Amino acid sequence: MKTQSQDFAELKVDGKVIRLPIVVGTEGERALDITGLRRQSGLVTLDPGFANTASCTSQITYVDGEHGILRYRGIPIEELVKKAMFVDVAYLLVHGQLPNASERRSFSEQLNLSSLLHEDMRHFFDHMPQGAHPMHILSTMINAMTAFYPNVDIKSMADNIDESCARAISIVRTMAAFAYKKSIGEPVVYPRHDLSYCANFLNMMFDSPVKPYRIEPEAVRMLNLLFIIHADHEQNCSTSTVRVVGSAQVNLYATISAGISALSGPLHGGANQAVMEMLRTIQADGDVMKFIRMAKDKDNPFRLMGFGHRVYKTYDPRAEIVRRECDAFLSKLHYRDPLLDVAREVEAAALKDEYFIERHLYPNVDFYTGIIYRAMGIPENMFTVMFALARLPGWVAHWREMIGDDTKLVRPRQIYTGCPLCGMDTDLSVNRTLVI
Ligand code: CMC
């Protein structure tokens, strides 16, 4: 809940004092409300990367980067991973509270009913080039849903919000598994109503006509946990993308497609794949300290992937959970991964290095997740897809909150730094005979 406190900040510009109201969030975070600033002073604010800008108010997720706190709708992430399933958390994010027994049943039913992909869309997969990244396939496919499903205008979607949300959350899982099956040349496996959300996904990924997949309860538990910790993270790059695109009153599927594209970048969700590539390179080289030096060298573009975060200036609470679970999970599966040893070495070296200490750079959520996915048999090019599946409820919740909030079209300003007014110094009419 946002409250307008009695406090104001005063800004003195050109001899004029401008009073800016201070807005206070539920947890006491304070913000200057600058909506009237330009009207009163002619000034805008400049904040590249929006590192110091709250783009909206939101009741969904609370992150405290200084103290390593993450809560969905007020509930600490540590509690949710112990007591809830991913589907409960999806419901919590989208609907604002955990489901009771009958809400849980009807949400699961809705997810099941929406899990089948329009059969004609299956042919799309056949025409994707071999080797296309599954994230790009996924964003293309979800965008195509706009053409395949009726009533996708924002009003119809908002009027049937439960159905729209359930379809988005459920169908992307089917698309992701189909994309994988196509990439390895195997027949797709259809979703089953008798399986839970995560078990269903693993079955669609790994079942085959010649070798039925035995669903491993430990893998299902771990996938639930990983999906829960990724389910939302307030105004991260992809969620902000969903809100920006959605603010133009674009339908849910198209906004999610845009969110998936944002997530695919190596500085965002793509980092989990990049971490594995980095760990392999370090393993092949054998000299961990060389890579620590490279990460610190300003003339070298190399960065420690899976390290650092825009908001967390302490250990990412999600990374804390994954780090703890990683060892236990691998030993339950009797799986030994030498890359885990490399990861531990890199972490230990970085955490005692002055460069990383001074800049508050700790492992983030992507540092250990890849090792767990690898143990589950998920291929590396699907890692970011896993992130996207998990983030779906977050995107849906933010889209829903945004359309309900009477949000303005997002349209930031800029400070123009190009040429001042000048005339055309070339007479283009001279070359009119050229075909251009
Ligand atoms: N390795 C080496 N130096 C780093 C790293 C890193 N991973 N991250 C930040 N720094 C340095 C950076 O060079 C800068 O140094 P200086 O002050 O001397 O110029 C300082 O730390 C601050 O970095 P920044 O780039 O200004 O910080 P940011 O908030 O813009 O960047 C980040 C956040 C996540 C993009 C960055 O830490 C990074 O590139 N990390 C590696 C990629 C990664 O793991 N991304 C996943 C993020 S978590 C999952 C998600 O939410 O998507």
Side-chain angles (χ1 to χ4, degrees):
M1 197 183 305
K2 170 184 91 161
T3 49
Q4 192 84 52
S5 76
Q6 298 306 309
D7 295 340
F8 285 84
E10 288 186 346
L11 179 71
K12 201 166 172 197
V13 185
D14 302 330
K16 187 175 163 194
V17 175
I18 293 156
R19 277 157 60 89
L20 298 172
I22 293 179
V23 171
V24 186
T26 321
E27 296 292 336
E29 332 89 290
R30 293 168 7 120
L32 291 181
D33 180 347
I34 55 152
T35 40
L37 179 63
R38 187 164 180 275
R39 193 171 18 86
Q40 292 180 67
S41 67
L43 292 174
V44 293
T45 52
L46 176 63
D47 182 20
F50 302 144
N52 202 51
T53 294
S55 60
C56 60
T57 59
S58 174
Q59 300 184 0
I60 302 170
T61 290
Y62 174 65
V63 178
D64 177 339
E66 268 69 39
H67 300 99
I69 295 171
L70 171 60
R71 296 182 200 140
Y72 300 155
R73 304 281 187 184
I75 306 176
I77 189 77
E78 294 79 5
E79 210 172 322
L80 287 168
V81 295
K82 275 193 211 133
K83 300 185 191 154
M85 303 285 281
F86 174 64
V87 167
D88 302 319
V89 171
Y91 190 96
L92 170 73
L93 289 167
V94 174
H95 293 270
Q97 81 272 325
L98 285 165
N100 61 28
S102 93
E103 287 163 339
R104 198 177 202 231
R105 223 180 356 264
S106 89
F107 189 50
S108 295
E109 250 164 51
Q110 237 161 4
L111 290 172
N112 270 334
L113 286 174
S114 332
S115 61
L116 266 186
L117 193 59
H118 192 298
E119 199 54 18
D120 289 347
M121 286 189 82
R122 260 203 329 117
H123 305 302
F124 276 38
F125 291 99
D126 297 333
H127 301 287
M128 292 288 173
Q130 191 73 34
H133 196 286
M135 279 298 271
H136 302 148
I137 298 181
L138 201 61
S139 68
T140 307
M141 293 301 289
I142 192 145
N143 210 3
M145 280 176 73
T146 311
F148 278 85
Y149 291 89
N151 306 327
V152 293
D153 63 283
I154 194 159
K155 173 148 186 350
S156 310
M157 284 192 127
D159 289 348
N160 300 292
I161 191 85
D162 289 346
E163 190 191 319
S164 316
C165 293
R167 176 169 290 141
I169 291 170
S170 186
I171 217 166
V172 174
R173 173 189 55 170
T174 309
M175 284 176 180
F178 279 20
Y180 170 63
K181 282 295 192 189
K182 281 287 165 191
S183 76
I184 57 167
E186 281 190 9
V188 299
V189 175
Y190 285 94
R192 278 172 35 188
H193 283 200
D194 60 324
L195 294 178
S196 70
Y197 188 92
C198 290
N200 222 332
F201 175 70
L202 289 171
N203 191 60
M204 284 193 276
M205 285 284 289
F206 299 124
D207 191 44
S208 113
V210 290
K211 191 165 182 268
Y213 175 65
R214 198 173 57 82
I215 295 167
E216 177 61 65
E218 196 47 40
V220 174
R221 187 192 75 82
M222 185 50 72
L223 199 55
N224 260 293
L225 180 145
L226 291 178
F227 278 8
I228 290 172
I229 62 171
H230 284 90
D232 192 41
H233 210 239
E234 48 117 303
Q235 308 310 319
N236 59 86
C237 179
S238 54
T239 304
S240 298
T241 302
V242 163
R243 279 186 177 260
V244 170
V245 174
S247 79
Q249 305 230 322
V250 173
N251 73 68
L252 178 62
Y253 305 144
T255 60
I256 287 177
S257 167
I260 288 175
S261 298
L263 187 72
S264 69
L267 293 191
H268 191 10
N272 56 12
Q273 187 178 343
V275 168
M276 298 306 278
E277 286 153 13
M278 177 190 80
L279 293 177
R280 251 197 319 279
T281 311
I282 299 178
Q283 184 192 34
D285 185 277
D287 183 356
V288 169
M289 291 318 291
K290 179 169 124 193
F291 290 87
I292 299 285
R293 283 193 298 279
M294 277 163 61
K296 298 192 293 182
D297 179 357
K298 292 292 159 208
D299 297 325
N300 192 326
F302 176 80
R303 281 187 164 200
L304 270 196
M305 298 314 282
F307 256 78
H309 196 274
R310 172 62 61 80
V311 179
Y312 292 120
K313 299 303 162 202
T314 181
Y315 215 101
D316 179 337
R318 304 165 301 171
E320 189 94 54
I321 294 171
V322 183
R323 187 184 196 280
R324 215 177 32 239
E325 294 281 342
C326 191
D327 261 343
F329 179 64
L330 264 56
S331 64
K332 274 187 195 141
L333 295 193
H334 306 292
Y335 182 92
R336 206 189 153 273
D337 191 340
L339 289 189
L340 178 58
D341 302 332
V342 180
R344 294 253 192 260
E345 250 191 275
V346 171
E347 179 185 352
L351 292 188
K352 56 175 186 271
D353 190 293
E354 219 28 62
Y355 173 96
F356 291 88
I357 297 170
E358 259 173 25
R359 290 168 181 75
H360 308 287
L361 301 171
Y362 294 86
N364 60 49
V365 68
D366 290 317
F367 196 63
Y368 286 106
T369 43
I371 291 172
I372 299 184
Y373 285 138
R374 208 158 97 118
M376 280 179 193
I378 309 272
E380 264 173 46
N381 67 353
M382 286 291 288
F383 287 3
T384 316
V385 170
M386 305 302 283
F387 195 155
L389 292 185
R391 188 52 59 86
L392 243 291
W395 290 331
V396 171
H398 282 273
W399 182 81
R400 184 181 187 182
E401 184 177 69
M402 182 208 60
I403 58 168
D405 266 0
D406 201 15
T407 309
K408 282 169 88 76
L409 174 74
V410 177
R411 201 299 185 192
R413 300 248 172 194
Q414 65 162 25
I415 302 298
Y416 175 70
T417 55
C419 291
L421 177 65
C422 57
M424 285 174 69
D425 55 9
T426 310
D427 184 0
L428 295 178
S429 63
V430 175
N431 294 325
R432 275 282 150 79
T433 51
L434 289 176
V435 178
I436 51 170

